[in-house]
């Protein structure tokens, strides 16, 4: 949801609007702070159960320098993130999502064939590893757009 409360006149309205869209969602990427705000819980397991009960197929929770976790009805897992020297975290979530979408596109994952991804725990780990690297690289510079990684930078960090 990329919640930016400063863009809303009322936080409760923001919460209601986002929650009203969950039943239309196949893949949900939220940060720890976002699920805590949306569901009034710090319990990740409870949040994931709620999201999956809404019909979401894949829940991804980003955790900054602690990596990211994924949950489906079949699998769950955690993927660590490469250690970098962060300067500015602006844009890290956007870069993460961009990396994830890049990987989904390369694998030709669409709504019609998402089940093939949900059944493949290793593919989910590979996708999130790539996305984590994209987010991590973005924190090594200032500003979201100037710090977005290029493919060569991502591949170099993946090799390390």
């Amino acid at each position: 949801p990329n919640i930016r409360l400063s863009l809303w006149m009322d936080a409760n309205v923001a919460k209601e609007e986002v929650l009203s869209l969950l039943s239309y969602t196949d893949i949900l990427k939220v940060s720890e702070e976002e699920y805590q705000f949306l569901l009034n819980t710090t319990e990740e397991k409870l949040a994931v159960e709620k999201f999956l009960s809404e019909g979401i197929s894949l829940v991804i929770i980003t955790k900054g320098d602690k990596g990211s976790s994924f949950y489906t009805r079949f699998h769950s897992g955690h993927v660590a993130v490469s250690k970098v020297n962060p300067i500015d975290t602006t844009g890290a979530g956007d870069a993460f999502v961009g990396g994830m979408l890049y990987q989904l596109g390369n694998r030709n994952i669409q709504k019609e064939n998402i089940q093939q991804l949900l059944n493949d725990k290793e593919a989910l780990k590979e996708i999130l590893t790539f996305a984590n690297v994209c987010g991590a690289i973005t924190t090594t510079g200032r500003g979201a757009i100037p710090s977005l990684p290029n493919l060569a930078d991502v591949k170099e960090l993946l090799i390390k």
Side-chain angles (χ1 to χ4, degrees):
N2 201 13
I3 298 170
R4 299 290 178 255
L5 291 178
S6 62
L7 300 176
W8 294 83
M9 294 179 81
D10 183 306
N12 288 323
V13 171
K15 183 185 295 193
E16 290 171 17
E17 289 292 322
V18 172
L19 291 174
S20 75
L21 299 172
L22 292 180
S23 64
Y24 301 100
T25 305
D26 292 307
I27 299 173
L28 176 68
K29 179 272 185 207
V30 289
S31 68
E32 290 176 301
E33 296 82 10
E34 288 169 331
Y35 85 69
Q36 291 169 6
F37 166 74
L38 289 171
L39 302 177
N40 298 317
T41 184
T42 58
E43 296 295 323
E44 187 170 311
K45 183 179 180 192
L46 293 176
V48 169
E49 288 172 0
K50 169 65 174 162
F51 291 139
L52 292 175
S53 76
E54 291 288 332
I56 296 170
S57 300
L58 173 59
V59 177
I60 299 166
I61 299 177
T62 54
K63 303 171 182 186
D65 65 358
K66 295 181 299 240
S68 57
S69 296
F70 64 91
Y71 301 88
T72 73
R73 285 176 185 73
F74 314 105
H75 305 290
S76 64
H78 180 79
V79 179
V81 67
S82 301
K83 298 296 178 202
V84 295
N85 295 317
I87 295 172
D88 179 8
T89 61
T90 304
D94 296 322
F96 178 95
V97 170
M100 184 179 69
L101 292 173
Y102 174 83
Q103 286 291 307
L104 293 174
N106 276 352
R107 295 164 188 267
N108 197 32
I109 301 297
Q110 300 173 23
K111 185 174 181 71
E112 298 77 27
N113 66 351
I114 194 171
Q115 196 62 43
Q116 114 189 16
L117 174 65
L118 301 178
N119 290 325
D120 190 341
K121 187 174 184 175
E122 290 309 309
L124 289 165
K125 285 183 177 181
E126 290 170 9
I127 289 168
L128 291 193
T129 298
F130 186 93
N132 280 345
V133 169
C134 291
I137 289 172
T138 301
T139 69
T140 63
R142 293 210 182 277
I145 301 301
S147 300
L148 287 173
N150 63 49
L151 190 55
D153 292 339
V154 174
K155 288 181 178 179
E156 181 180 329
L157 196 53
L158 281 170
I159 292 170
K160 290 181 183 178

